[in-house]
Amino acid sequence: MSNLAIKPPEQFNDPKPLPLVAEAERSTPYPIDALGEVLGKAARGITKGIQTPPEMSAQSVLAAAALAVQPFANAVLDGRPYPLSLYLLTIAESGDRKSAVDRIATLPHKARQRQLFDSYVEEYQRFKNENDAFEVSRKLAIEANKKKGKEAITMALHEIGLPPEEPKCPTLLSQEPTAEGLIKGFFNGLPSQGLFSDEGGSFFGGHSMKDENRLKSIAILSQFWDGSDINRTRAGLGESMTIKNPRLSAHLMIQPVVAEKIFSDKELTGQGFMARFLVASPQSIAGTRFYNGLDLTFDKSVIRYHSLIEKLLLTPPPVNYKGTLTPRSLNVSRDAKALWMDAYNAIEAQLAPKMELVNIKPTAAKTAEQIIRIAGVLTLVDDPNANNIGAECMERAIQIGSWYLKEALRLTQSSDANCDFVIANKVKDWIIDKELKLVTVNCINKNKVAKLNSAKRGREILNLLEDNGWLIRLPADTMVGGKAVKESWRLSRNIQQKHS
């Protein structure tokens, strides 16, 4: 008997407790070939050369392409125009080469921005000289007609004419502007811009997303995604402004710890803002990226991609005399519409109560529109002069849109599982701290451990602890407090021994 009393923990029949960490479900392979001849091969080339997850490369080239084509056309279905702007969000750890991928994908954009700024410096100096001359002319006209009265001064000023027009600031890419900064940037700058950052956490953690600014910023960024006119009314002279038909595409790269905060923020998710993002969270391949010596400056697929994007960026965007974009209509063909309708109806059916997509309703409800936008981007990449979205591009867009929908579902389910494990850890720690011999659902709920207050949730968490070896289920009708209970558990003896 004495030998039995001193058995070490490994000799108990109780299982060894497992770490309370949710096992990450792998994402399905990204349909890179659906991106097309140029984007797809470039994504594969970047993936191989930089040694990065293919999802990250795909995200980067798709976002960069959207920025390049968005000013030229709107996809049109049944008379409804859809901008070709896309918002993308990539979740990856530090060290997963986010910066390297983004740098290759946006190389033509940054080169074009440098060219525009070089010209802008000269144009601004010319404007400054003309404006100084204009101001001097006004002062001389006023001085010369001062004694002749108001009408003479007015006539003289009319003869001088309007002031010279200040050149637009050629910002093509912004990294972490405030929402107000974006508005001013569009008002004083290009009508088509991109919000791209390989450190997207600085945007979500910056001034725009502070408590007092968050709702306003969300509303403004949502308007940009919609391509809606943005009106800002202020009391101060010259502070009110209107931006008509702007186009903004975005690609923000963030770390998982930032993503957890973002997707647990009810204001960001509840307003439908995050549902506008195409999200990818690729598994890290760190530990397998042995040096391969590939030079992407000689990669034919990357060179072809850069050449196409450069050509698009050098093409003047269609604007009216006020500088407002006037994108042409890119009509969805009959065959493409039939394919899209099937995808739309399949998604809608899964939004019914108890169906698969009900927990990601905001994202799923926008997927059909995302598919149209992606189809428009793919169409103009294949043929910048196209006037219709064909069935082949729509079919590819449906493949890509479906992948993003599955990824959103995977990430939501993973988040829910992580939440359960966090709660289970709290319950386990409470049981150990209280040195309970037996535990029941009622005991957990009565004490509101981890804020559990329903029998269903309490049972789910205790079952999770049982499945992972922390609790051992006792026979039905075990006596607890002088009463027989149907369900009860005890701590694994391995844990009791460890904490004794």
Side-chain angles (χ1 to χ4, degrees):
M1 292 295 293
S2 60
N3 290 335
L4 290 174
I6 59 172
K7 279 186 178 181
E10 60 268 23
Q11 293 185 19
F12 288 131
N13 291 326
D14 290 355
K16 184 179 180 180
L18 301 174
L20 291 172
V21 179
E23 184 176 348
E25 180 186 351
R26 289 177 175 269
S27 63
T28 58
Y30 192 101
I32 285 186
D33 290 339
L35 288 171
E37 184 74 11
V38 176
L39 299 185
K41 287 187 175 180
R44 289 193 183 281
I46 293 170
T47 295
K48 185 177 180 180
I50 297 178
Q51 299 186 86
T52 189
E55 299 94 331
M56 191 185 299
S57 302
Q59 289 273 94
S60 294
V61 298
L62 180 58
L67 173 57
V69 304
Q70 66 182 4
F72 298 109
N74 292 327
V76 178
L77 175 65
D78 293 333
R80 295 186 296 273
Y82 298 94
L84 303 188
S85 306
L86 296 174
Y87 284 8
L88 295 98
L89 184 74
T90 301
I91 304 169
E93 295 279 2
S94 176
D96 279 343
R97 302 182 177 173
K98 299 187 292 294
S99 301
V101 175
D102 180 70
R103 185 162 50 249
I104 292 292
T106 60
L107 189 67
H109 305 75
K110 291 171 181 175
R112 180 56 178 156
Q113 182 160 270
R114 285 193 296 271
Q115 293 172 356
L116 290 170
F117 266 102
D118 287 343
S119 299
Y120 173 75
V121 171
E122 295 180 9
E123 291 174 12
Y124 187 81
Q125 186 59 53
R126 190 179 302 114
F127 156 76
K128 193 172 181 299
N129 293 339
E130 292 175 357
N131 193 63
D132 288 345
F134 173 79
E135 292 296 336
V136 170
S137 298
R138 283 178 59 86
K139 289 179 181 178
L140 291 174
I142 292 171
E143 189 65 30
N145 291 277
K146 188 182 296 183
K147 295 180 180 179
K148 296 180 182 180
K150 180 179 177 181
E151 289 187 11
I153 294 174
T154 301
M155 288 290 291
L157 292 177
H158 277 311
E159 288 180 9
I160 294 173
L162 296 172
E165 185 175 348
E166 183 175 348
K168 297 289 187 181
C169 184
T171 300
L172 181 60
L173 290 171
S174 298
Q175 288 189 325
E176 49 181 283
T178 63
E180 284 291 320
L182 270 177
I183 290 177
K184 290 181 179 179
F186 270 87
F187 186 75
N188 298 313
L190 301 177
S192 173
Q193 299 183 31
L195 174 57
F196 281 57
S197 177
D198 54 17
E199 292 294 343
S202 60
F203 173 78
F204 284 105
H207 180 77
S208 285
M209 293 301 165
K210 288 184 177 179
D211 291 343
E212 63 271 22
N213 301 322
R214 187 181 292 123
L215 287 176
K216 180 177 68 174
S217 298
I218 289 170
I220 290 171
L221 288 166
S222 295
Q223 284 181 282
F224 273 117
W225 187 83
D226 296 337
S228 303
D229 292 352
I230 297 176
N231 300 301
R232 193 184 78 163
T233 304
R234 295 290 186 273
L237 183 65
E239 286 296 312
S240 294
M241 57 185 69
T242 297
I243 304 167
K244 293 186 177 180
N245 216 21
R247 292 294 180 270
L248 177 71
S249 281
H251 185 202
L252 300 175
M253 296 174 147
I254 60 175
Q255 295 187 25
V257 64
V258 177
E260 288 178 13
K261 293 179 181 178
I262 291 170
F263 287 101
S264 62
D265 189 312
K266 292 183 178 179
E267 287 186 345
L268 290 175
T269 56
Q271 301 291 322
F273 174 61
M274 295 311 301
R276 288 172 164 82
F277 281 85
L278 298 169
V279 183
S281 181
Q283 185 173 7
S284 176
I285 61 170
T288 67
R289 305 168 300 181
F290 302 106
Y291 190 76
N292 60 23
L294 293 179
D295 186 346
L296 289 181
T297 59
F298 295 100
D299 186 287
K300 291 182 179 179
S301 64
V302 175
I303 293 171
R304 185 182 179 189
Y305 161 76
H306 282 164
S307 178
L308 172 67
I309 297 299
E310 180 183 8
K311 184 178 179 180
L312 288 166
L313 294 173
L314 286 171
T315 304
V319 295
N320 63 17
Y321 72 97
K322 292 183 177 180
T324 301
L325 281 176
T326 56
R328 69 181 186 274
S329 293
L330 196 60
N331 294 295
V332 177
S333 70
R334 181 180 298 178
D335 291 343
K337 178 181 175 180
L339 291 171
W340 179 85
M341 284 177 59
D342 288 343
Y344 173 93
N345 290 332
I347 293 169
E348 182 63 25
Q350 291 297 316
L351 291 176
K354 298 182 180 181
M355 298 301 284
E356 186 179 25
L357 301 179
V358 70
N359 289 332
I360 57 167
K361 182 179 177 181
T363 298
K366 281 188 167 51
T367 298
E369 179 174 345
Q370 298 277 26
I371 288 171
I372 292 177
R373 291 176 180 234
I374 294 169
V377 172
L378 299 180
T379 297
L380 292 190
V381 168
D382 288 353
D383 179 7
N385 298 314
N387 289 310
N388 294 284
I389 296 174
E392 193 263 346
C393 277
M394 182 60 76
E395 187 172 13
R396 285 157 48 201
I398 290 170
Q399 290 181 49
I400 295 169
S402 297
W403 184 88
Y404 283 112
L405 192 57
K406 291 176 184 176
E407 181 74 345
L409 188 62
R410 179 183 76 88
L411 293 174
T412 299
Q413 291 172 341
S414 175
S415 176
D416 291 344
N418 281 330
C419 181
D420 284 353
F421 276 96
V422 169
I423 294 172
N425 264 306
K426 292 180 179 179
V427 172
K428 176 259 297 180
D429 290 343
W430 181 83
I431 294 170
I432 293 173
D433 183 60
K434 296 296 182 181
E435 298 182 353
L436 297 180
K437 301 297 183 183
L438 299 174
V439 62
T440 64
V441 173
N442 183 57
C443 171
I444 297 300
N445 291 338
K446 184 178 178 180
N447 288 279
K448 296 183 179 180
V449 183
K451 297 183 180 179
L452 293 172
N453 54 17
S454 76
K456 180 182 177 183
R457 284 294 289 148
R459 185 174 292 106
E460 288 174 350
I461 297 303
L462 292 177
N463 283 334
L464 184 60
L465 289 170
E466 178 186 351
D467 293 341
N468 286 272
W470 292 87
L471 294 181
I472 306 300
R473 182 180 290 269
L474 297 173
D477 298 327
T478 294
M479 300 299 293
V480 178
K483 296 181 180 180
V485 294
K486 292 183 178 179
E487 289 183 306
S488 60
W489 293 260
R490 64 168 173 79
L491 273 175
S492 164
R493 291 191 181 93
N494 288 301
I495 306 167
Q496 291 175 353
Q497 181 74 15
K498 182 178 179 181
H499 289 81
S500 61

